[in-house]
Amino acid sequence: MPEAKQYLRIDSSFTDDDAYITSLIPIARITVLKDTNQVIVKEHIEQKFDNWGNGILQLSFPGKLTEVIISYVTEPLVNTVLTKDVDYWLGTSYPTDGRIMMINTPTPWSEINGITVSYKSEPDGDDSVKPLIIAMYMLIQHWYDHRSPVKHLQTYVTPIGYQKLVNNYKKFV
């Protein structure tokens, strides 16, 4: 919050808009996450799959992966949790690119989104996400300055600086 207020050039003693600014921070963080498929801070993510694909599950939001839990529906209302290094492998050759190699691919019950991967992902390093944090602040400033999308028949689009920063980080999965 203090960093966002500093970026907006709002005096710290002015607190009338604190609740509004605080509500914009997670919205901007999630927008950057969805626009780039890259985490800015440690995130807990749950991703669903219909099948095992070609034996590699590609996670949408890679980074340093921790607390990976893979479960699948074996029969109606019954979930089975897989064991790391027995059923799947994160591997040393790609610890941060978001791929999980399946060793044993059991047959899941035919259910849409029957496979769930729950994981925490954090950025590879502070320097790698600094431009994305600036992009997040740009969004916050844009939304703070333009609280309605249309004013006197003038529309407001996302700042070009945001688009330039985000386009450098987009990962298409």
Side-chain angles (χ1 to χ4, degrees):
M1 170 68 154
E3 294 91 358
K5 284 182 83 169
Q6 182 180 3
Y7 186 86
L8 294 170
R9 296 182 182 175
I10 297 173
D11 189 74
S12 59
S13 62
F14 179 74
T15 59
D16 292 357
D17 289 342
D18 281 4
Y20 180 63
I21 295 167
T22 301
S23 69
L24 291 177
I25 292 170
I27 296 168
R29 183 180 45 78
I30 290 168
T31 301
V32 170
L33 174 71
K34 293 202 180 251
D35 284 349
T36 63
N37 286 351
Q38 295 206 18
V39 294
I40 299 174
V41 295
K42 193 172 193 174
E43 300 274 356
H44 178 266
I45 299 165
E46 187 172 286
Q47 192 172 338
K48 304 277 188 177
F49 296 89
D50 294 333
N51 56 51
W52 302 111
N54 59 356
I56 296 176
L57 296 178
Q58 179 66 54
L59 301 178
S60 294
F61 306 107
K64 292 180 186 173
L65 302 178
T66 58
E67 300 179 35
V68 177
I69 299 171
I70 302 174
S71 63
Y72 68 101
V73 177
T74 53
E75 56 185 83
L77 303 175
V78 177
N79 278 341
T80 300
V81 176
L82 300 180
T83 306
K84 183 180 176 188
D85 296 329
V86 173
D87 297 315
Y88 67 92
W89 184 55
L90 292 174
T92 56
S93 61
Y94 41 92
T96 63
D97 72 354
R99 290 187 289 171
I100 297 175
M101 289 186 69
M102 301 309 301
I103 299 169
N104 296 314
T105 52
T107 306
W109 182 260
S110 11
E111 183 172 317
I112 295 175
N113 294 328
I115 302 166
T116 303
V117 180
S118 174
Y119 58 99
K120 290 190 178 174
S121 180
E122 60 184 284
D124 294 331
D126 288 339
D127 289 340
S128 67
V129 296
K130 282 183 181 176
L132 294 177
I133 291 170
I134 296 299
M136 185 181 84
Y137 290 149
M138 286 178 171
L139 275 180
I140 292 168
Q141 181 176 15
H142 175 72
W143 293 330
Y144 184 79
D145 291 343
H146 308 287
R147 295 182 189 208
S148 67
V150 178
K151 183 177 182 182
H152 303 291
L153 301 176
Q154 179 181 3
T155 59
Y156 298 103
V157 296
T158 308
I160 194 165
Y162 171 81
Q163 294 300 329
K164 290 282 188 188
L165 287 172
V166 164
N167 285 339
N168 290 328
Y169 283 83
K170 282 192 177 185
K171 285 189 178 179
F172 300 99
V173 183

